[in-house]
Amino acid sequence: MNQLIKIERFLLIGHIGAMAFGLAGLLLVLPHPEWIMSLPPQGQTLFQWSMAGGGVVYIILGTAAVAIYAYRTLGLWQWLTFMIPAIVISLTSELLGTSTGFPFGHYGYLSGLGYKIAGLVPFTIPLSWFYLGLVSYLLARAGLESRVGTNQSLSWWRHLGAIAIGAVLLTSWDFVLDPAMSQASVPFWLWEQPGAFFGMPYQNFAGWLGTGAIFMAVAALFWQKTPMALSRRQLGLPLAVYLSNFVFAAVMSIGAQIWVPIGLGIVLGVVPAVVLWQMATVTPTPNTLEQGQRDRTPEAKVPVASIK
């Protein structure tokens, strides 16, 4: 277990470091081509590689860190029953969006985010839906559950609240990321029909809310009998991932001189995320720890979702 924690932390640090390295390249080095030309051949090669694959690296590192965290903290069942629906549903939405314009609007991905599935959607995109979606949902559900508890009479309200808040947290990150990434000096996607919200159609937000809510609802169905009263310490990685990705998006927006989305993201994303983390219990709940350990034990006979 200690080894998993070390790997998880290493991946998290790498994830944040890769985002910082990418920001430096996009906002500091790229606007000054003379800096690039002054680099030795090895430095120029490294910069070209970072521009071509930096987006892929930070997403893969973030996905790996959150996947290990989910397995270690929640157990194999919870990890897979969130990750698989999140990837499949988000990829379906993205393929529909890039080919038909529904549910996000008409847009297309450029290079920089890896191999494109069906020539339309980079394979890293559904991975980012997974890891940002999971940390958003865990913050929402753990925060609410610590206050509401597992009272059966409030069960569905608790689930619906976690889905709704989790989807809003996820979409709030996109408020900030999408305008900047589509209008950067080296854009990663382009809107074929620019909308009123800093180049994005308002339909995009409905698509994000709907897609996130659907795969979170699927996870809630699988997890409906599973307590999720994680402590603040256990929610440290989800909060760190959410805030670091928000900062990445915010710095990109500042570089593009786009300010309003940052304010919306802070109000609807950062503040609620921190409040939800603060609402969580101070110490781990024994039931949560026991069920995660039971799910990782080879002798387990009963799926975690069936344990009350």
Side-chain angles (χ1 to χ4, degrees), residues 79-95:
W79 165 38
L80 293 180
T81 52
F82 192 100
M83 183 178 72
I84 294 174
I87 289 176
V88 172
I89 292 170
S90 63
L91 176 59
T92 301
S93 289
E94 292 279 357
L95 288 172

Side-chain angles (χ1 to χ4, degrees), residues 3 7 29-30 69 88 126 132 134 143 171 197 240 302:
Q3 191 65 25
I7 295 172
V29 180
L30 198 60
Y69 166 83
V88 172
L132 260 301
L134 180 56
T171 304
F197 187 82
V302 185

Side-chain angles (χ1 to χ4, degrees), residues 44-127:
Q44 294 183 28
T45 301
L46 178 62
F47 180 77
Q48 291 172 358
W49 175 86
S50 68
M51 292 304 298
V56 175
V57 171
Y58 97 78
I59 292 174
I60 289 178
L61 290 174
T63 300
V66 172
I68 292 176
Y69 166 83
Y71 169 74
R72 180 182 63 82
T73 306
L74 307 175
L76 180 64
W77 173 256
Q78 280 84 354
W79 165 38
L80 293 180
T81 52
F82 192 100
M83 183 178 72
I84 294 174
I87 289 176
V88 172
I89 292 170
S90 63
L91 176 59
T92 301
S93 289
E94 292 279 357
L95 288 172
L96 281 172
T98 51
S99 57
T100 70
F102 175 84
F104 307 106
H106 293 279
Y107 66 103
Y109 286 100
L110 303 176
S111 59
L113 293 175
Y115 166 78
K116 293 181 182 179
I117 300 170
L120 295 171
V121 180
F123 79 95
T124 52
I125 294 300
L127 297 181

Side-chain angles (χ1 to χ4, degrees), residues 23 26-28 31 173 175-185 198 245-264 266:
L23 286 173
L26 288 170
L27 302 180
L28 298 179
W173 168 67
F175 281 155
V176 187
L177 182 74
D178 215 322
M181 293 290 272
S182 61
Q183 299 179 44
S185 54
F198 300 92
N245 279 266
F246 183 90
V247 169
F248 172 82
V251 173
M252 287 286 293
S253 290
I254 291 171
Q257 298 185 348
I258 301 173
W259 304 97
V260 173
I262 298 176
L264 283 174
I266 291 173

Side-chain angles (χ1 to χ4, degrees), residues 106 183 190-202:
H106 293 279
Q183 299 179 44
L190 290 176
W191 290 94
E192 298 172 13
Q193 295 179 335
F197 187 82
F198 300 92
M200 294 191 317
Y202 289 111

Side-chain angles (χ1 to χ4, degrees), residues 270-284:
V270 171
V271 171
V274 173
V275 169
L276 288 162
W277 172 82
Q278 186 67 31
M279 287 169 59
T281 58
V282 177
T283 57

